Amino acid sequence: MNTGRANTGRANTGRPNTGLANTGRGDAPEIVVVPHTHWDREWYLPFQRFRLRLVSLLDGVIDGMEADPRWHFTLDGQMAAVDDYLEIRPERRERVAALVREGRLAVGPWQILHDEFLCSGENIVRNLELGMRRAEELGATMMVGYLPDQFGHCAQTPQILKLAGIEHACVWRGVPGEVRASAFAWQAPDGTAIRTQYLPEGGYGNAASMFEEFADGASLLPGRAAGFAASMGRWYPRGGPLLAMYGADHTAPAPDLADRVAEAGLGMRLDTLAGYFAGQDPSVDGLPHVRGELRSHARANILPGVISARVRLKQMMGRAERLVERYAEPLTALWYAGDAQRFLDLAWRRLIEVSCHDSVTGCGSDETAEQVAARMAEAEQLGRAVCDLVTAERAASVPLGAHLVFNPTPAPRTGLVTLDVPSDGEPGLVTGDGRPVPVQTLEIAPTVLDDAVHPASRLPILLERVYGRVLFGQEIRDWSVSREDRTLTFHVTSRADAPFDIGDVREALRGADGDWRVRILADPRRTVAALVDVPALGLTTVQPAPASSGTPVAAPVSAEGNVLDNGLLRAQVHADGTLGLRTPSGHVVEGVGRIVDGGDLGDSYNHAPPADDRLVGDPLTVDVRPVWRGPLLAAYDIVRTYRWPASGDVPRDARSAAEEDVTVTTRAELRAGEPFLRLRVTFDNRCEDHRVRLHMALPRQAGASFAEGQFAITERGLTAEGGFGERPVPTFPASGFVAAGGLAVLLDHVTEYEIIGGGREMALTLLRSIGYLSRDRNAYRDQPAGPQLPTPRAQCRGERTADLAIMPYDGERPGADVLQAAEAYRHELLTGAGYGHAAVPAPPSREGIAITGDGVVMTSLRARDGWIETRMVAQHAEPATAVLRGPFTEATRVDLRGRPGIPLDVHDGTVTLALRPWEIATVRLRTS
């Protein structure tokens, strides 16, 4: 495939002119040339096609390094390139390791170069953990936080690096205009600062053209080196060696590079990136300070449209990370007697692989996106399989008809679960402790699954429907044959424990003639919502009980006259399909849930509306349909119809005259005890080249937004800093929630948002349909971001669904109530059906580990090296105290690599830990 940039890759994503003209050397400083390749594991080509090139490139590099000891090479800061290579060339492992041990081949510290905003904070930590471990297995880790091409950097990266023992960072994109030197102190929200090398004048390819030669052999090196020194020198006010990054995307250095450097005699030397930083003072004294995230457009493109390209990938990533981090690992650590670590390791491999800055971003080819989605699905499947494994072991002691419930949050919880229970009337439920459980019937299952007359000759064929003891998806608990009225009856249930042999049925039907009635009857069952109390990270059981007059609900939810109300929140559906919210404390929010469709002639990197855009925000029709009316769960479906332009019209820089009818269904759901309104937006996307956003008016004008992300809540203004060749649009990512002006939106995956209307409205991107990886002409970006490759599947046709929740809050900044709500929204209670003997009593509730503290959020809990290891962060602008309670006998604080640090006191199974604002803490616990 001819992309037009086979060797330059992302060299056209917005680098300034390097200005390497011959300006004269003078007393030029030393230039440290770092040969490297930037390796996009998958991008405009899928992984295996790029890997073939990788193998060829590294074959040559390794052979050249072995032949010439002057050679040094830096392998892009990611171990994935090494692992991908050695999978094809396993016989070369020791040769690679020898070069690493010599310090001439720099590998690690990351496993892969991730997108810092499109994966969880825990994913970033595991990425670093795996990369450093794999690099050390080869001999040494490059102790530099090399982040050459990420589309901006999250706020807590300095703290993450420092906690792993890394004291230098190296970045390009996102650096703000205030940075005017090659080194600055990058400070995390907790105050941790790390010396950071900025890569000006071309980023990781700032010396990519320095060693080019004319076809006649004439060298340009003296003039270009002098120009490089003159141009780069202004970035080094303190002096010191200049960092010359000699490499580009998927390219190898010139094979005679060492000779050229030696012959030039220009004060140059070859080294690795690790070698460049070796011996440099990591102190940040006297350096300019930059606090928080790096998302400025001032010095390079940050390509913000990747946050909303191929939204399905972001949804899949969120599900898979959540399932592995907050369900599979804690369940295994606390409640499983066996060993599932290999499955969890494989799940994390997949999650780390897809966090790559050209993978989860969705800015690759259609084929690449399909492979990324498959790996995400595999990670989710592995996480779900481990959950099934653990719950199955525990469910063996839970009687038939009862259910096991797991709480993935580290605080006691009352939450709604959906259960399938046996009942021919309004069911009664109790916990294993004997406490009554409030119940609401959602659906009554049919009891007659089949009732038909067949000739006797067909009976043997009909019996082939039985698989083992399963018939019509349920298990046969009883059967009967009546020859008098020629009737065969099967009674089925969800799970049966009575003996069954299909041979007995065949024997009973031997010699049958005439016509026979065959009935398949299911035990009466209902799908119910149940409000269950579960201990912190603990288990409880729910089992059928004699029906009573109904367990009262402390604060029931109702649905009457297009109004949902649970005592904590009142939501009214208006005639235009938007919602108005009211709280008992006096919060009033109107205009929630407006759907706005606009044009997008951009690409996977940058949204770009047509000059003659046409926004569609008013529905043609609105229909409100009741779904459930309470007392635990109440919901309305708001069905709105629109006519959206069918596609973009590039020649006219407009939207097409042709239109499509689109129906958008918004389910508004309110649950008992929840201070937020759940929304699910669903529509069939029949259009192309457009963006669909959900708009919410804010209760009061906002001057800033607050977005939960990777171990932090980031405050952002209403504008973005520009200065380079990219429109600085103030669209930003949020992971757990985004809040502004007294309204929080709770999220289940990374979502793009923007505060518009002068701070009076919030818009969340539900869908962005685009047809190209990159457009050579994009109105919001001066330069191409990659090849102009068609990506028809990035138009995201078909049914699209988005889930979120809306919550009013007090004050300017979101507080602990929003954090708790986001935690509950993202982490539903997990259930598993019991299959123990029906006569066995249900086990009582059991607590796992409780973690409390104002603004303290648990991000992981796992088994590691014979300990239970948990990580938490103080998501708070004030100091916090974390209190851990459980059957502990020993506790110690460790760093991100698991290296022991400070022993902690344990008193009566309780550990108390003081945390700085925004501090990340990792604690290992030994249990009795």
Side-chain angles (χ1 to χ4, degrees), residues 216-413:
D216 62 4
S219 177
L220 302 175
L221 182 55
R224 291 195 170 184
F228 178 88
S231 176
M232 195 65 69
R234 63 189 178 92
W235 291 95
Y236 290 75
R238 295 183 169 194
L242 308 182
L243 178 58
M245 300 297 292
Y246 171 57
D249 294 8
H250 310 123
T251 58
D256 60 344
L257 175 65
D259 290 334
R260 297 188 197 181
V261 170
E263 292 167 3
L266 297 172
M268 291 184 184
R269 64 178 172 90
L270 292 179
D271 211 333
T272 64
L273 194 61
Y276 174 81
F277 286 103
Q280 287 197 23
D281 183 4
S283 170
V284 297
D285 294 343
L287 295 178
H289 274 59
V290 176
R291 185 179 176 89
E293 68 179 3
L294 305 180
R295 283 194 65 86
S296 171
H297 306 253
R299 302 199 177 280
N301 294 339
I302 64 168
L303 312 169
V306 299
I307 301 298
S308 52
R310 303 187 196 261
V311 168
R312 176 172 169 263
L313 291 181
K314 284 65 173 176
Q315 293 173 319
M316 294 181 71
M317 186 70 158
R319 282 199 310 270
E321 285 181 328
R322 199 160 53 247
L323 193 59
V324 174
E325 292 173 13
R326 296 300 303 274
Y327 292 89
E329 283 194 329
L331 267 170
T332 304
L334 297 173
W335 301 112
Y336 187 50
D339 183 6
Q341 194 57 50
R342 290 294 182 91
F343 294 104
L344 293 170
D345 289 345
L346 185 54
W348 272 113
R349 279 273 187 170
R350 296 294 176 264
L351 287 172
I352 292 166
E353 285 174 356
V354 297
S355 73
C356 185
H357 67 291
D358 288 312
S359 299
V360 65
T361 46
C363 57
S365 66
D366 283 346
E367 191 174 5
T368 294
E370 289 172 4
Q371 291 182 326
V372 170
R375 290 192 212 109
M376 288 177 176
E378 189 176 345
E380 182 179 355
Q381 292 158 13
L382 285 160
R384 196 168 299 281
V386 170
C387 289
D388 292 344
L389 184 70
V390 181
T391 54
E393 180 181 83
R394 289 286 161 183
S397 62
V398 176
L400 276 173
H403 290 78
L404 183 74
V405 184
F406 170 65
N407 174 14
T409 55
R413 176 100 169 266

Side-chain angles (χ1 to χ4, degrees), residues 29 33 288 357 361 393 473 481 661 668 670 820 885 903 918:
V33 179
H357 67 291
T361 46
E393 180 181 83
V481 171
D661 292 322
L670 200 56
Q820 292 165 4
R885 187 182 70 252
W918 313 109

Side-chain angles (χ1 to χ4, degrees), residues 603-769:
D603 49 42
S604 63
Y605 291 102
N606 296 81
H607 163 72
D612 185 15
D613 199 2
R614 180 154 52 107
L615 299 179
V616 181
D618 296 326
L620 300 176
T621 64
V622 179
D623 185 21
V624 182
R625 303 169 185 173
V627 183
W628 298 299
R629 295 192 177 276
L632 300 181
L633 178 67
Y636 287 111
D637 277 348
I638 307 164
V639 183
R640 289 172 280 186
T641 61
Y642 300 86
R643 288 190 65 81
W644 291 347
S647 64
D649 187 337
V650 174
R652 292 178 46 245
D653 202 2
R655 304 188 73 183
S656 69
E659 296 179 328
E660 287 279 357
D661 292 322
V662 180
T663 298
V664 180
T665 300
T666 303
R667 174 160 294 181
E669 177 184 313
L670 200 56
R671 298 181 179 183
E674 291 186 346
F676 49 84
L677 178 72
R678 295 169 181 260
L679 298 180
R680 167 168 287 183
V681 183
T682 305
F683 59 94
D684 181 6
N685 180 39
R686 304 176 182 179
C687 306
E688 297 183 346
D689 310 320
H690 68 128
R691 180 177 68 175
V692 183
R693 299 209 289 186
L694 182 71
H695 287 233
M696 283 146 292
L698 301 177
R700 52 187 177 273
Q701 187 173 2
S705 65
F706 303 87
E708 194 277 338
Q710 295 68 28
F711 300 124
I713 299 170
T714 300
E715 180 177 356
R716 300 179 176 121
L718 306 187
T719 60
E721 182 184 34
F724 193 64
E726 180 178 54
R727 183 77 65 91
V729 293
T731 55
F732 301 109
S735 294
F737 66 82
V738 56
L743 190 71
V745 181
L746 314 182
L747 305 166
D748 66 1
H749 66 277
V750 179
T751 301
E752 176 188 272
Y753 76 91
E754 183 179 2
I755 306 301
I756 59 177
R760 292 178 173 81
E761 193 171 20
M762 181 189 298
L764 274 78
T765 303
L766 303 181
L767 175 75
R768 200 160 68 84
S769 299

Side-chain angles (χ1 to χ4, degrees), residues 306-599:
V306 299
I307 301 298
S308 52
R310 303 187 196 261
V311 168
R312 176 172 169 263
L313 291 181
K314 284 65 173 176
Q315 293 173 319
M316 294 181 71
M317 186 70 158
R319 282 199 310 270
E321 285 181 328
R322 199 160 53 247
L323 193 59
V324 174
E325 292 173 13
R326 296 300 303 274
Y327 292 89
E329 283 194 329
L331 267 170
T332 304
L334 297 173
W335 301 112
Y336 187 50
D339 183 6
Q341 194 57 50
R342 290 294 182 91
F343 294 104
L344 293 170
D345 289 345
L346 185 54
W348 272 113
R349 279 273 187 170
R350 296 294 176 264
L351 287 172
I352 292 166
E353 285 174 356
V354 297
S355 73
C356 185
H357 67 291
D358 288 312
S359 299
V360 65
T361 46
C363 57
S365 66
D366 283 346
E367 191 174 5
T368 294
E370 289 172 4
Q371 291 182 326
V372 170
R375 290 192 212 109
M376 288 177 176
E378 189 176 345
E380 182 179 355
Q381 292 158 13
L382 285 160
R384 196 168 299 281
V386 170
C387 289
D388 292 344
L389 184 70
V390 181
T391 54
E393 180 181 83
R394 289 286 161 183
S397 62
V398 176
L400 276 173
H403 290 78
L404 183 74
V405 184
F406 170 65
N407 174 14
T409 55
R413 176 100 169 266
T414 300
L416 213 61
V417 294
T418 302
L419 305 174
D420 183 38
V421 299
S423 178
D424 57 359
E426 194 63 33
L429 293 176
V430 295
T431 66
D433 307 296
R435 295 190 306 272
V437 175
V439 175
Q440 174 187 335
T441 296
L442 303 179
E443 186 178 340
I444 300 175
T447 54
V448 179
L449 304 185
D450 195 30
D451 191 345
V453 176
H454 305 273
S457 60
R458 288 271 304 164
L459 292 178
I461 298 173
L462 294 177
L463 294 183
E464 294 297 325
R465 294 176 177 173
V466 180
Y467 182 75
R469 68 181 307 148
V470 176
L471 180 61
F472 278 30
Q474 299 191 48
E475 295 185 0
I476 298 170
R477 68 164 177 81
D478 193 12
W479 59 276
S480 63
V481 171
S482 172
R483 287 185 174 273
E484 183 177 341
D485 54 8
R486 291 192 174 92
T487 301
L488 168 62
T489 303
F490 288 104
H491 292 276
V492 298
T493 190
S494 61
R495 192 182 288 267
D497 54 3
F500 172 77
D501 188 342
I502 190 65
D504 295 339
V505 182
R506 290 194 177 99
E507 184 62 30
L509 291 171
R510 186 185 297 277
D513 58 4
D515 289 338
W516 279 69
R517 183 185 183 190
V518 178
R519 297 186 303 163
I520 303 172
L521 305 179
D523 288 347
R525 301 193 69 82
R526 294 182 179 225
T527 301
V528 302
L531 195 61
V532 186
D533 297 326
V534 194
L537 286 167
L539 302 172
T540 195
T541 52
V542 176
Q543 62 182 346
S548 63
S549 57
T551 304
V553 182
V557 58
S558 63
E560 295 180 4
N562 289 2
V563 175
L564 302 171
D565 198 333
N566 68 354
L568 300 174
L569 189 63
R570 184 179 187 272
Q572 181 173 8
V573 185
H574 296 312
D576 63 353
T578 63
L579 293 135
L581 305 180
R582 301 227 181 343
T583 68
S585 60
H587 290 289
V588 177
V589 190
E590 294 290 352
V592 170
R594 189 164 61 98
I595 303 291
V596 178
D597 173 69

